[in-house]
Amino acid sequence: MVDTAKAAVDVECWHSGEVLELLVEPGSKIPVGTAMAMLLEPGETREAAMAQRAETISEVAIQAPGAPEMRAAPVQPGGEAARLRISPAARKRAAELGIDPASLTGSGPQGAITLLDIDAVARTLTVDRHTAMRQAIAAAMSRSKREIPHYYLSETMAFGSAAKWLQDYNAERPPEQRLLASVVLLKAVALALRDYPQLNGYWRDNAFQPTEGIHLGVAITLRRGGLVAPALRDVADRSLADLMQTLGDLVQRARAGSLRSSEMSDATLTVTQLGEQGVDSVFGVIYPPQVALVGVGRIAERPWVQAGALCVMPTVTLSLAADHRVSDGHYGARFLAEVHRLLQSPDSL
């Protein structure tokens, strides 16, 4: 158990082995990151570990500030030094990131691989992945604007009924079972697509290919930059509670980099929601081979006329980007009107 300024935390040791030495006394106050104990690796003797520790201390002394830097001699296979020198924290981080420590040159004493070494490699990999992602997005969006004749529509919709229904629904449930407005909007879009199938499918081989399943691509921003839009499958056929749970899992796995390949290719229409960023409306670029994209802005109170009277109403602006080879503006306008109608009867969702 470790007591911090904000909580008492159980710290689990991720390595098995016999404790060689406690480096701090119980009850001591130490900075975050301080080593607290040394373990013997399986098969390692106490005498060999103490001898190695003495060598490490000597190497640290030699490399103290002001002294000339000395690097460890190359490790010879088969010798005692052949065992990979790596700190436990660095070994754990490397495993989490899928990095092979044996491929690295350590900067620590005697060439030991440190947590700083692993973090430096991770930063490089992040930059490479981010660059590759931006290049892939640029290629897809360039192709989209080059090949797809887009048309755009938008409609500001009353969200008061849906907001009131959500408030009542969530008031009766614990936090882990509550719904977000985004799930209600996704379900309304999916139900509307049942009646407007020309927006749900793919343009392939110079022809439109409709699909039976309604699998909405959900645009998710990644913590280290970039964007993915994995598919939330069979949205029209699932309950709001099920969608909420599945969406939460999808976002978590997207940001952990553990999406399935099918989730990246099955989307039949993409929904991008930027309302949480304070955007009133968003006009997106269709992701080929899809033929439509729905943009969702923020939910905000605006002046509204209802039953001939002026009032303040929660509203949301939905936009549609669609492929003119498959549908036209009249068809798209009717689709948006159907989404609006569904939002006025949230019980039907």
Side-chain angles (χ1 to χ4, degrees), residues 112-135:
I113 299 169
T114 68
L115 186 58
L116 291 177
D117 297 326
I118 301 298
D119 285 343
V121 174
R123 285 192 296 271
T124 301
L125 291 176
T126 298
V127 171
D128 291 344
R129 289 169 184 158
H130 180 73
T131 300
M133 178 178 292
R134 296 313 312 177
Q135 290 173 343

Side-chain angles (χ1 to χ4, degrees), residues 275-304:
E276 70 274 9
Q277 305 297 326
V279 175
D280 284 330
S281 59
V282 52
F283 295 88
V285 179
I286 301 169
Y287 191 87
Q290 297 169 32
V291 297
L293 178 144
V294 172
V296 180
R298 68 188 179 104
I299 298 170
E301 291 187 338
R302 296 181 176 91
W304 194 262

Side-chain angles (χ1 to χ4, degrees), residues 141 144 148-153 189 192-193 196-203 208-211 214-219 229 266-272 282-296 319-328 331-333 335-336 339:
M141 295 302 97
S144 176
I148 300 176
H150 288 62
Y151 70 86
Y152 291 95
L153 303 170
V189 168
L193 285 173
Y196 294 88
Q198 286 177 247
L199 301 173
N200 188 62
Y202 310 108
W203 181 268
F208 174 60
Q209 299 177 3
T211 61
I214 297 175
H215 314 315
L216 299 184
V218 183
D266 285 354
T268 57
L269 177 146
T270 294
V271 178
T272 180
V282 52
F283 295 88
V285 179
I286 301 169
Y287 191 87
Q290 297 169 32
V291 297
L293 178 144
V294 172
V296 180
S319 66
L320 173 68
D323 188 335
H324 232 317
R325 296 172 297 184
V326 181
S327 64
D328 54 33
Y331 189 88
F335 164 75
L336 288 178
V339 176

Side-chain angles (χ1 to χ4, degrees), residues 58-70:
S58 298
E59 188 69 24
V60 170
I62 292 173
Q63 295 187 9
E69 181 180 0
M70 294 184 65

